[in-house]
Amino acid sequence: MSVLGDILSTVLDRGVRSIPRIAARNSTTPELVRALLSGSGEISGMAIAQQIFDRYAEMDRPARLGFFRMLAIELDLDPAHVRETLDAYEATPGRETYRAYAKAAEPPRQELIRRLNQLPGGTARLVAMRRDLLGFTREHPDCAALDLDFRHLFGSWFNRGFLVLRPINWDTSAALLDKIIAYEAVHAIQNWDDLRRRLKPRDRRCFAFFHPSMPGEPLIFVEVALTRGVPGSIQALLAEDRADIAPEAADTAVFYSISNCQEGLAGISLGNSLIKQVASDLAVELPNLKTFVTLSPIPGLAAWMAETGLAKPVRGETLRQIAAHYLLDAKSAGGRPRDAVQRFHLGNGASVFRVHGDADTSEKGLAQSGGAMVNYLYDLDRITQNHEGFATAGTIAASAEVRNLASAGRSLASEKEDDEEPTL
Amino acid sequence: MSVLGDILSTVLDRGVRSIPRIAARNSTTPELVRALLSGSGEISGMAIAQQIFDRYAEMDRPARLGFFRMLAIELDLDPAHVRETLDAYEATPGRETYRAYAKAAEPPRQELIRRLNQLPGGTARLVAMRRDLLGFTREHPDCAALDLDFRHLFGSWFNRGFLVLRPINWDTSAALLDKIIAYEAVHAIQNWDDLRRRLKPRDRRCFAFFHPSMPGEPLIFVEVALTRGVPGSIQALLAEDRADIAPEAADTAVFYSISNCQEGLAGISLGNSLIKQVASDLAVELPNLKTFVTLSPIPGLAAWMAETGLAKPVRGETLRQIAAHYLLDAKSAGGRPRDAVQRFHLGNGASVFRVHGDADTSEKGLAQSGGAMVNYLYDLDRITQNHEGFATAGTIAASAEVRNLASAGRSLASEKEDDEEPTL
Amino acid sequence: MSVLGDILSTVLDRGVRSIPRIAARNSTTPELVRALLSGSGEISGMAIAQQIFDRYAEMDRPARLGFFRMLAIELDLDPAHVRETLDAYEATPGRETYRAYAKAAEPPRQELIRRLNQLPGGTARLVAMRRDLLGFTREHPDCAALDLDFRHLFGSWFNRGFLVLRPINWDTSAALLDKIIAYEAVHAIQNWDDLRRRLKPRDRRCFAFFHPSMPGEPLIFVEVALTRGVPGSIQALLAEDRADIAPEAADTAVFYSISNCQEGLAGISLGNSLIKQVASDLAVELPNLKTFVTLSPIPGLAAWMAETGLAKPVRGETLRQIAAHYLLDAKSAGGRPRDAVQRFHLGNGASVFRVHGDADTSEKGLAQSGGAMVNYLYDLDRITQNHEGFATAGTIAASAEVRNLASAGRSLASEKEDDEEPTL
Amino acid sequence: MSVLGDILSTVLDRGVRSIPRIAARNSTTPELVRALLSGSGEISGMAIAQQIFDRYAEMDRPARLGFFRMLAIELDLDPAHVRETLDAYEATPGRETYRAYAKAAEPPRQELIRRLNQLPGGTARLVAMRRDLLGFTREHPDCAALDLDFRHLFGSWFNRGFLVLRPINWDTSAALLDKIIAYEAVHAIQNWDDLRRRLKPRDRRCFAFFHPSMPGEPLIFVEVALTRGVPGSIQALLAEDRADIAPEAADTAVFYSISNCQEGLAGISLGNSLIKQVASDLAVELPNLKTFVTLSPIPGLAAWMAETGLAKPVRGETLRQIAAHYLLDAKSAGGRPRDAVQRFHLGNGASVFRVHGDADTSEKGLAQSGGAMVNYLYDLDRITQNHEGFATAGTIAASAEVRNLASAGRSLASEKEDDEEPTL
């Protein structure tokens, strides 16, 4: 890798030295952007791309916003030209008319991003660039279309077919493990001893997706515990003094944490492939595994209980009933399940399998859900059906047990409402 | 690789088993195509993609044409919808209007190709599919736009930043060397002994570009000889009994053969990066190398001589003069140099350096150019300038020696014309 | 590897420059040998070792003999010193007396060989050196003890625990495959097409043992065919136009060729581990494999038939009977089976399983055995027993079929003798 | 590796099942030892070796002593047989007489150790076994000869030519880094942050020797700091808040810690090769490096000062003088330098370069040497000379500065003695 880097900097040094017309050092960034778009020589293109990335790296936040706006506005679509070429293609469909249309229909920003990507290491820099861009899109809607262009190209480049699944374990390099510690988003990894407990025991697994052009950067990873039976407590699962079991003795694989690593890839679907791939992989390696579940937080439960006036300190069975009711019945404005974690797993084809109280007794767990957690079940034989049912009809697949709990929960909630009515 | 394959087929088997609504075996191919486009679940998507590829593999040539036409027509643009969404975006630029436009502006074929690419191994299958498609586009212009869609996506996926340069040598696997033998397009490799002569000696090199998702398939490769001085004969360069030299003693690197391996990647620029990357790479490894040249055929010379009435058997100095004249002056209808090999190297920023007679005395060499060959010079400090000059003004960079030869060649040609005039 | 080489030559250059007392260039080889034995510094040791190897490389055959004799004589045991230290150890067993004895009991040649082995790459050079030495031992018995010293050390260094088993297939480098072609000793590999037929089909395997310090050099390799049923013809097994089968459909693994690669390792047992390891390996990979056999030549059969007056052209059943008789009954002067191939397999624990006529119809096969071949059976559950029986009592394990054939063969032979008696 | 392991256990399981005559479970350990020595079949040998290792693993300390004594006594030399075969060899030198002598001259223990080493993984188990043995040799001198046999074989197996040098850095696996933390013997590594400070910065390096048959176990490693100038304080060198420098800007490489990892390899020289190899390696990679030094403790200084009555709290210049005097003049009973660290580096060809006070202000540093440390210089052009001078004449190479300090130190010491005389 570093040899390639050396060679490249040699090329680029030469390249930059020999660009009289661009006069890189005296050019403005917009001039460099236009030069990159107009040129077709790859070597000078690489030199310009390097210049643009280097300048970007030195920009402060306002300058970066200016850069994005320049791309958003100057490299936007030309609607008149789109219409003109579209008319011509419609009139005379053919190679040349289609080529002209296709070129016009896409804003030049997309070609710019592709040309920046020529530079070895460019992909990672573009992902970091979009991370910055996402920090602006809410307040600066004129950058939204640019973001969609990034997303469109990333969707094509980070296609499942290009991703590589790799195990993360105690034979993984410290440099990569540093990143796992940094990126864990669900149950924070305190230190190397904590990490060792999650990666080294024979009944623990971790897998990540990588892209070949960013080999040192995990994109998303999932942590797995192999257990006997479906666990109902994250603290028990991660206990320091627990006894490990032989992998062959496990009947259940528990996906207890899944973390996206690259903010710049927001909106690019990676997680659903990951869980399914890992489940299939483990099913082959360990034929005794029969059940594939998550042990997931219910992040919005407490807030919803407060909103609906159920915020009395509830525990045990009652909490389980209310949590099940929330999961099966609470909807967002758009009519979809209110809980984002749940939407993710239902969208993958999972079903709501079990609900537990006293399952996450950490401060965070108690605050967000009164300690309740949920298992989503990945039944490899039913995920397609579940997915289709959820995608087309909004059907939430759930076990009988959970449906019964939810039914009880509904009664509690309506009693509550009944109780409250007199106060009107 | 094969473990992944095993796992995958497991996934797919399960996937296929569990798709009641698609009823894969009873669905028509267009139904599968629509199902792939409408679904968003990746696992079922993979199962459908597999089905489509498998069916395609079994189609005969007319069926394949039918398949491509179906894609070309049914998954074409909807111009009315493009206009509508474009109007809306123009009226109210914003995230949602742009998203709608971007979706409409691109024919659904492109999304189909991206979804087929989800399948591990899909990229190679798509490249093979386009190879077939290219066999139809001349006679069936209604497939041209579909081909441009493939080309557009391949341009993005086979971006320089995603390619990996690897040496090919005697430590390379036999499986890969089989492909080098098969793909060599310029000076055919007769057998393994011939291959050994090109790869094993210390003064020979070979490099190829690979794409991470097609690791066993070279995309393009270049064969290099390290020499003292610029060679003027391909037979001498490849002689069985030549004495090799220490790489450190060489002052010249000769790119004597460059071969594209994937017909399905026609039109995707790979060669210019390759030569420049290899030249830069060798310049770092062997600082004594001062000159980077090709030893290239002049494939159209004999035909052009026949056309212009110069087809008397010429040899030696006269042939060199005529060849130089051809290279500097013969133009195609579009005004560009007539010689395709020359166009490639000039487009890369090379210059016409030397012209040789008796340089390729093989049957093919004598037939196509009377045995003449040419060195194109890659001067790393001038390639950007040369490229720009050629791209913008059509300027052909050439050495004084070649310009002088061409001048003499022009005189010969006009004498010839003078000689011929009386016959009018 | 080459980086290591570079570094090393740097070290060695410096080392050699800085050895004033040794004055390497002016020293005789015996002086260098003594310097290597007396010094304890590894760096100067490496420099001297390099010198000795370099000088050896330039010696002609008589000079090499001189070198070996010098080692044999000057670095031989000092019997008086052995006795003295042995007496001391016997009188006062202890650390120091044992150390003194152990040093005296071993000729200094062994320490010299160990010190030559310090040099990276030294092992391969020592193996080559012993190959030369073996060319002298018959005529120069004074070198025999030196050869036993080499053999003793090689036995320790090429211990089974240090060897690495690797598959050889079409993904193997051309450089290594060149060696497979060169070293194949049983059924010569004609060319790369022949090699491809033995390595590439899915029902063919090849495995070799390597030593970590000679990573590019196979030590011994075995070629395997996966078949349905036990084959009785090598020509059928290697036919160009045969149809391959799925490995999972095979019930038999046939070890049809086993070749030692390093003459310098003669007498170091490698083959028995190899066959058993490969058999066990394949049994795990392909559980359908039930039978592990060789298809082996009977190299001494024709000569023995000539000796015993049975040299009439026999074919078919008669040949099989005589071959079985030969295998079960013909003994060398020492009372062991006359056939060396058979001794090897019986010593490994194999049994004589089947005998075939018309099995090797090549010129060589007809000449050495009238075309007869034999299957030796490796029954993993019985090899220990067979081995012990053969090693302790000379018992030849054989199938009932072969015993019956041999019995018929004995009758033929005695009839023959009866027939011949009148001529007395 | 684990595949190999799987296969092997399969082989061994079969092997063990099929050894009726050995009746492994009913055999005593001495019977197994004899069986391993008498058998020649490798598969059954492996099964027996496995049995012996497994039994050993379950033995308590007294049982292990019993095991070692059994090897020491039952498998000792037979002096009468040595004499007999030696007489025969002397009378008739030749292949057979030498073979008989060589077999007799070596105690059967050595062959036993070699046969235990057949088992994959056997080498590491034997190294661990010797570690245990070393715990007995002081109190049980009858085990000393056995230890010398282990050492003799390990010297041959861990020959420099078989070792592999590998960098240890932040790309190294956590599993291996765990071992670096555990084995660091000079300046303890507190935790992963401390480790990161030693391995990750661009101006830090670490290298270890490995043996191919123990790929997960470092044998010895050295930690290196790249600095400008020769450092005189270990705390400054390892400070948390120090600024790193570009490797190219460094002129000095400091070997500040070297740790043996395998107690079972005690007495096998590894360290001298390591330092010299790393120095040569770094000299090639970073040509600006001109000086290669250690920053070493002086572990016996305080004890010696106490013995010689110099134990008043001394600091600064006086301490440096006394330390230099100690290093150049203090001798052990055998007349060699008293300081073991110094003996190691002088034996490698280093010289005493600089002496520092206040150089190790840790509790341990103050306690053992009043805070003094020393730089030993590795001048690649002089190490052979220095080594030879030290090895043959006991000459201690030292810089003029150190010699002057020592001279002053001698005066201090004799003044002290003068002061003390009156008390007589």
Side-chain angles (χ1 to χ4, degrees), chain A residues 3-4 6-8 10-11 14-15 17-22 39-44 46 72 76-80 82-83 86-87 89-90 93-96 98-99 101-102 104-107 109-111 113-115 117-121 123 130 134 137 141 143-149 151-153 155-157 159-162 165 211-213 269-270 272-273 276-277 280-281 283-284 347 380-385 387-389 391-392, chain B residues 3-4 6-8 10-11 14-15 17-22 39-44 46 72 76-77 79-80 82-83 86-87 89-90 93-96 98-99 101-102 104-107 109-111 113-115 117-121 123 130 134 137 141 143-149 151-153 155-157 159-163 165 211-213 269-270 272-273 276-277 280-281 283-284 347 380-385 387-389 391-392:
Chain A
V3 173
L4 200 68
D6 289 352
I7 290 164
L8 185 74
T10 308
V11 185
R14 283 174 183 269
R17 264 191 288 121
S18 64
I19 312 182
R21 288 180 48 225
I22 290 173
S40 62
E42 288 192 19
I43 288 292
S44 67
M46 277 197 196
D76 198 4
L77 284 176
D78 175 351
V82 179
R83 284 191 194 95
L86 181 60
D87 291 346
Y89 175 60
E90 205 173 16
R95 187 172 192 84
E96 292 313 315
Y98 185 68
R99 190 202 301 272
Y101 163 75
E106 187 189 88
R109 298 181 295 248
Q110 288 197 16
E111 181 63 17
I113 297 170
R114 280 192 291 266
R115 291 195 181 190
N117 192 39
Q118 285 175 70
L119 195 73
T123 313
R130 184 176 174 235
L134 285 168
T137 48
C143 290
L146 172 62
D147 177 55
L148 286 172
D149 289 325
R151 183 170 163 169
H152 175 73
L153 289 170
S156 188
W157 295 343
N159 192 303
R160 172 68 190 91
F162 291 145
L165 184 71
H211 190 273
S213 69
S269 153
L270 301 165
N272 54 357
S273 311
K276 289 171 203 163
Q277 183 72 60
S280 305
D281 199 338
V284 171
L380 293 175
D381 288 332
R382 301 186 64 87
I383 52 181
T384 303
Q385 265 175 274
H387 160 73
E388 300 284 345
T392 59
Chain B
V3 173
L4 199 68
D6 288 353
I7 290 165
L8 185 75
T10 308
V11 185
R14 284 175 181 267
R17 263 192 286 123
S18 63
I19 311 182
R21 289 180 48 223
I22 290 173
S40 62
E42 289 192 19
I43 289 292
S44 67
M46 279 197 195
D76 198 4
L77 285 175
V82 178
R83 284 191 194 95
L86 181 60
D87 292 347
Y89 175 59
E90 206 173 14
R95 187 171 191 86
E96 291 315 314
Y98 185 68
R99 191 203 301 271
Y101 163 74
E106 189 190 86
R109 297 182 295 247
Q110 288 196 17
E111 183 61 19
I113 297 170
R114 280 191 291 265
R115 292 195 179 189
N117 193 39
Q118 286 174 72
L119 193 73
T123 314
R130 183 174 175 235
L134 285 168
T137 48
C143 290
L146 172 63
D147 177 54
L148 286 172
D149 289 325
R151 183 169 162 169
H152 175 74
L153 289 170
S156 188
W157 294 344
N159 191 305
R160 172 66 189 90
F162 291 145
L163 303 185
L165 184 72
H211 190 275
S213 68
S269 153
L270 301 166
N272 53 359
S273 310
K276 288 170 205 165
Q277 183 71 60
S280 305
D281 200 339
V284 170
L380 293 177
D381 287 333
R382 301 185 64 87
I383 51 180
T384 304
Q385 265 174 276
H387 160 72
E388 299 285 344
T392 58

Side-chain angles (χ1 to χ4, degrees), chain B residues 227-245:
Chain B
T227 61
R228 294 189 63 81
V230 173
S233 159
I234 189 69
Q235 277 77 27
L237 202 73
L238 297 181
E240 288 192 28
D241 55 354
R242 71 180 190 85
D244 63 4
I245 63 172

Side-chain angles (χ1 to χ4, degrees), chain D residues 6-23:
Chain D
D6 288 353
I7 289 164
L8 186 75
S9 40
T10 308
V11 186
L12 292 172
D13 287 355
R14 284 175 181 268
V16 171
R17 263 193 287 121
S18 64
I19 311 182
R21 290 181 47 223
I22 289 173

Side-chain angles (χ1 to χ4, degrees), chain D residues 11-151:
Chain D
V11 186
L12 292 172
D13 287 355
R14 284 175 181 268
V16 171
R17 263 193 287 121
S18 64
I19 311 182
R21 290 181 47 223
I22 289 173
R25 289 168 194 268
N26 300 322
S27 300
T28 64
T29 303
E31 282 168 353
L32 287 175
V33 163
R34 281 189 294 272
L36 182 54
L37 274 174
S38 65
S40 62
E42 288 191 20
I43 290 292
S44 68
M46 279 198 196
I48 304 170
Q50 178 83 55
Q51 277 282 322
I52 294 173
F53 279 128
D54 287 352
R55 293 189 176 198
Y56 181 82
E58 288 168 16
M59 289 180 193
D60 59 11
R61 198 174 138 84
R64 288 179 178 185
L65 177 58
F67 175 72
F68 291 134
R69 275 189 161 148
M70 183 264 291
L71 301 186
I73 295 161
E74 292 194 25
L75 303 184
D76 197 6
L77 286 175
D78 175 350
H81 191 44
V82 179
R83 283 190 195 98
E84 188 183 322
T85 55
L86 181 60
D87 292 347
Y89 174 60
E90 205 174 16
T92 323
R95 188 172 192 86
E96 291 315 313
T97 52
Y98 185 68
R99 189 201 303 271
Y101 164 74
K103 193 166 185 322
E106 189 190 85
R109 298 181 295 247
Q110 290 198 15
E111 182 62 19
L112 180 80
I113 297 171
R114 281 192 292 265
R115 292 195 179 190
L116 287 169
N117 192 40
Q118 286 175 72
L119 195 72
T123 313
R125 287 171 171 235
L126 289 167
V127 170
M129 198 179 265
R130 184 174 174 236
R131 185 195 56 211
D132 299 343
L133 173 60
L134 285 168
F136 294 119
T137 48
R138 181 176 298 238
E139 293 183 20
H140 300 277
D142 52 352
C143 290
L146 172 62
D147 177 55
L148 286 172
D149 288 324
F150 270 102
R151 182 170 165 169

